[in-house]
Amino acid sequence: MNINWSDLINAFALLLILEGLLPFISPSQLKKAYTQILSYPEKSLRMFGLICVIAGILLLFLTD
């Protein structure tokens, strides 16, 4: 398997852009969201994380 570093850097750049949108557009809403997330049980957060990972893997396979 040969890694195209340009694609990996582009994917990371897109991740940074998407992650930075909410704090840039509405920092107060981000703080509210973080406060709500702190009240969720760890099991729910783990399941959400697992679902995101699986969705990302499936998306990668579908676009390959």
Side-chain angles (χ1 to χ4, degrees):
M1 183 169 126
N2 199 3
I3 295 176
N4 186 347
W5 290 103
S6 176
D7 287 344
L8 185 62
I9 292 170
N10 286 339
F12 187 65
L14 287 172
L15 172 73
L16 290 174
I17 291 168
L18 291 173
E19 288 289 327
L21 279 176
L22 189 58
F24 176 72
I25 293 171
S26 182
S28 62
Q29 288 292 77
L30 180 65
K31 287 180 179 181
K32 288 179 187 176
Y34 284 161
T35 303
Q36 288 179 344
I37 289 171
L38 287 172
S39 68
Y40 294 160
E42 286 188 19
K43 185 175 182 179
S44 297
L45 293 173
R46 284 188 196 273
M47 287 305 296
F48 178 73
L50 178 63
I51 290 168
C52 287
V53 168
I54 291 171
I57 291 170
L58 288 174
L59 188 60
L60 281 174
F61 280 120
L62 290 174
T63 58
D64 190 30

